[in-house]
Amino acid sequence: MSGEVYDCEIQVRLRDLNVGGHVDNVEVARVISESRVLFLRYADLGNGKPGLFGDVPSGVAELVASQTVEYRAEMYFAPFQPYLARLWVSKIGRTSFTIGTEIRTSPDGPPAAVAETVQVMRDQQAGTMWTIDGTARETFERFLGEPVELRGR
């Protein structure tokens, strides 16, 4: 990784388990989504503004254009042990960007799931795509790193 990363914890819930006794794939997608929202909108990234979108004008929304999730290991319920999420920006386009995500169940373990999420920026008022401008682009570039290593690439 060349840029900074954002690390957070997402609380494990009993309802995350499926009938097989491991964490359901839908719940893994929820963990990925929750961690992404924290990174984009609420994280303290040390610049005095909340989240990666601190420099994005109000009225600009991010929409998921695509998401690829690879499940690398079964995840089991461990009481009081949160999921550990690591996120970064892996690509910045004109009106879109890509977020890389790794989900772990222990600090020393390998990722149990990885994801790549492409988000597009839309100016809700104008009804058009929003071009990622200089200040926002600089913030995104702080977290720019390598793409997620997905199978088959």
Side-chain angles (χ1 to χ4, degrees):
M1 231 45 67
S2 53
E4 296 177 44
V5 296
Y6 172 67
D7 291 311
C8 67
E9 296 179 351
I10 303 294
Q11 184 58 50
V12 173
R13 304 175 310 180
L14 281 172
R15 69 173 254 172
D16 294 350
L17 300 178
N18 64 18
V19 294
H22 60 263
V23 178
D24 190 84
N25 63 309
V26 172
E27 296 305 326
V28 174
R30 176 195 59 82
V31 170
I32 292 165
S33 178
E34 282 187 27
S35 61
R36 188 176 62 248
V37 169
L38 288 174
F39 180 39
L40 297 179
R41 296 284 177 182
Y42 302 105
D44 179 1
L45 303 179
N47 60 356
K49 300 174 184 174
L52 192 67
F53 285 178
D55 292 313
V56 172
S58 63
V60 173
E62 76 281 2
L63 305 169
V64 173
S66 70
Q67 181 166 271
T68 303
V69 179
E70 282 187 5
Y71 304 94
R72 303 250 172 108
E74 284 185 289
M75 296 168 62
Y76 294 95
F77 178 77
F80 311 110
Q81 181 177 327
Y83 304 113
L84 307 173
R86 171 165 284 178
L87 298 93
W88 66 94
V89 175
S90 62
K91 183 178 178 184
I92 307 168
R94 191 175 66 77
T95 61
S96 67
F97 63 101
T98 304
I99 300 241
T101 306
E102 295 176 344
I103 305 295
R104 288 180 170 73
T105 55
S106 68
D108 300 331
V114 295
E116 182 176 77
T117 307
V118 178
Q119 306 234 189
V120 295
M121 307 293 289
R122 180 170 170 77
D123 182 328
Q124 299 294 74
Q125 189 112 4
T128 60
M129 302 312 289
W130 181 75
T131 301
I132 301 170
D133 65 14
T135 307
R137 184 172 292 276
E138 285 176 21
T139 303
F140 285 27
E141 287 173 350
R142 247 182 76 197
F143 292 88
L144 189 58
E146 296 297 317
V148 172
E149 290 186 29
L150 298 171
R151 294 179 212 121
R153 279 198 189 170

